[in-house]
Amino acid sequence: MVTSIHRPTKAIIDLSAITQNIENILQQLSQEMNLFAVVKADGYGHGAVAVANAALKAGANGFCVATIDEGIELREAGITQPILVLGVVETSYIHLLSEYDLAFPVTTLAWLKDAAMILQLEQLPRPLKVHLKVDTGMGRIGFLASENVNEAVRLIESIPQIEWEGIFTHFATADQAEKSYYETQKNRFMAILEQLPYQPLYVHDSNSATALWHEPIGNLVRYGVALYGLNPSGQAVAAPYKLKAALELVSAVVQVKQLPKGYGIGYGETYITPKPEWIGTVPIGYADGWLRKLQGFHILVDGNFCEIVGRVCMDQIMIRLPHEVPVGTKVTLIGKNGGHEITLQQVAEKLETIHYEVACGISPRVPREYIE
Ligand SMILES: *Cc1c(COP(=O)(O)O)cnc(C)c1O
């Protein structure tokens, strides 16, 4: 999908909000703690490379991404710091992982045995950096806490081109006020750490929620959503300090008209003007990630909340204006305008989802513009 720069719709990313959010968490963490900025999914829709560079300025030590390709994107943009791929990688990509110096999780013995065979025949540019992933209760990827993780350590030691760089786990409920399941997972992880023959360079268990509300174990946190200024819990648990939202979504009214009473608006004629009304058209739609379920939600024009009337189209929406406004008037879909604000969280609530999904869903058609 081509990025459409010749229209007023754009996401504006405030990089100073990102540096501020990182500086704040670093103040809360102990001195020896490393922070890897999680910039998967194009930096949660904010732009991975720009976010990564801002994070470095604020003191991040490395990065987490979801896929090999996301790691390569950072390397090709000149990032030299450690990068950890969080997802499972296939053994067929071993050479690529070495070439781009991407660390990655090992989640089964079978993977290591397969890699050992391949590496008998293949000389890599540099050793592979692996983090053992332990599934302490997420049910997603990793060795079960009941499995013998030390066997994986021994196997790694027998493979000359693999370096054991880390061990980690991931919590399912660190963003909830109720702590019992978090404690169960944490105890399983601690039990595994205790029986390791020795500890690798990085030991880590913290996403944003763990770093904000719990005591991180180890010496690294994987800081994601909160660096974008979003509360990991939505609104369930208050953040210990103010997180500063980095993303604004703006556009402009491209046509303004007064429609008579009884006039149908949009596909399916789902809205009919109950009286003469000023209607504005804004060039954003579900192909931009502004989904059809947002019919009936509102956006901001000159500090006024204006309802989205009629169905959201692929590329346009119609809004009810309080009065005539000039064509070209700025509108705010996410962010502040005239003393009012619409947050990603509010959009997420209207969509019955979480802000993570809304931020990631702003499509590549929408240009990202950066301000300091
Ligand atoms: C996405 C992810 C993170 C970051 O989570 P946030 O809630 O955004 O902080 C950390 N660790 C793993 C394994 C992840 O997949």
Side-chain angles (χ1 to χ4, degrees):
M1 190 181 275
V2 70
T3 301
S4 294
I5 56 173
H6 301 100
R7 65 173 186 170
T9 304
K10 58 191 173 187
I12 301 172
I13 319 296
D14 179 0
L15 296 173
S16 70
I18 287 170
T19 49
Q20 215 173 303
N21 291 325
I22 292 178
E23 283 163 8
N24 284 340
I25 191 67
L26 286 174
Q27 271 182 17
Q28 182 180 314
L29 297 171
S30 67
Q31 283 292 323
E32 59 275 22
M33 198 59 87
N34 291 281
L35 184 140
F36 279 18
V38 183
V39 295
K40 59 192 181 187
D42 200 23
Y44 295 45
H46 294 62
V49 171
V51 170
N53 283 317
L56 277 180
K57 273 195 212 153
N61 311 95
F63 301 95
C64 296
V65 293
T67 66
I68 294 174
D69 304 271
E70 290 177 351
I72 292 174
E73 182 189 22
L74 294 185
R75 286 281 179 253
E76 294 197 326
I79 301 277
T80 56
Q81 284 73 16
I83 297 175
L84 172 61
V85 175
L86 295 170
V88 171
V89 300
E90 291 161 68
T91 49
S92 54
Y93 299 124
I94 278 175
H95 200 278
L96 200 59
L97 289 156
S98 164
E99 196 182 320
Y100 284 95
D101 197 14
L102 304 174
F104 58 91
V106 163
T107 65
T108 62
L109 289 177
W111 192 98
L112 284 171
K113 287 172 187 162
D114 197 16
M117 291 220 296
I118 295 171
L119 291 173
Q120 277 174 3
L121 306 169
E122 188 156 8
Q123 192 56 45
L124 298 176
R126 64 173 71 75
L128 296 170
K129 294 171 179 164
V130 304
H131 292 223
L132 291 175
K133 176 74 186 277
V134 189
D135 176 2
T136 54
M138 178 76 179
R140 193 166 65 176
I141 60 171
F143 294 89
L144 294 180
S146 57
E147 285 180 89
N148 187 350
V149 175
N150 286 355
E151 203 179 327
V153 175
R154 279 193 294 274
L155 199 46
I156 289 170
E157 285 173 340
S158 75
I159 310 172
Q161 299 190 83
I162 300 190
E163 185 182 304
W164 184 33
E165 190 185 64
I167 185 164
F168 72 117
T169 194
H170 189 59
F171 293 115
T173 62
D175 60 344
Q176 295 175 11
E178 215 303 292
K179 291 190 177 178
S180 60
Y181 194 64
Y182 164 79
E183 297 288 349
T184 302
Q185 281 196 263
K186 177 174 172 168
N187 290 336
R188 286 178 184 152
F189 189 50
M190 300 229 286
I192 289 200
L193 295 179
E194 274 159 27
Q195 49 90 62
L196 290 174
Y198 57 94
Q199 295 207 341
L201 179 61
Y202 295 120
V203 174
H204 47 118
D205 75 344
S206 293
N207 55 3
S208 299
T210 312
L212 286 170
W213 294 304
H214 305 276
E215 195 60 52
I217 291 180
N219 57 356
L220 167 61
V221 300
R222 307 181 302 272
Y223 206 59
V225 81
L227 80 85
Y228 305 96
L230 302 170
N231 180 325
S233 77
Q235 332 205 49
V237 189
Y241 50 82
K242 192 159 169 45
L243 300 167
K244 195 165 180 226
L247 183 140
E248 267 191 347
L249 183 62
V250 300
S251 187
V253 181
V254 292
Q255 180 156 14
V256 178
K257 56 175 75 136
Q258 191 174 39
L259 294 177
K261 175 178 184 249
Y263 201 90
I265 293 183
Y267 290 117
E269 201 195 13
T270 60
Y271 181 82
I272 295 169
T273 52
K275 55 182 183 346
E277 286 180 336
W278 284 100
I279 299 294
T281 303
V282 180
I284 188 168
Y286 60 79
D288 300 293
W290 196 256
L291 303 183
R292 289 174 86 246
K293 229 190 198 172
L294 291 167
Q295 178 171 355
F297 193 62
H298 45 256
I299 68 175
L300 283 164
V301 183
D302 294 334
N304 296 302
F305 288 102
C306 299
E307 185 182 335
I308 298 167
V309 291
R311 287 197 183 135
V312 171
C313 307
M314 186 185 289
D315 319 302
Q316 302 174 80
I317 55 174
M318 284 69 84
I319 56 173
R320 187 179 55 238
L321 297 162
H323 46 72
E324 185 176 15
V325 302
V327 163
T329 300
K330 178 189 165 178
V331 311
T332 300
L333 299 105
I334 296 167
K336 295 192 178 109
N337 179 316
H340 291 287
E341 184 175 14
I342 298 170
T343 64
L344 265 167
Q345 174 62 18
Q346 289 164 350
V347 177
E349 282 170 18
K350 175 68 180 173
L351 292 172
E352 298 176 86
T353 184
I354 54 174
H355 50 54
Y356 291 75
E357 194 178 32
V358 182
C360 294
I362 299 172
S363 85
R365 191 163 78 178
V366 178
R368 273 64 173 174
E369 185 180 299
Y370 297 95
I371 55 170
E372 291 291 339

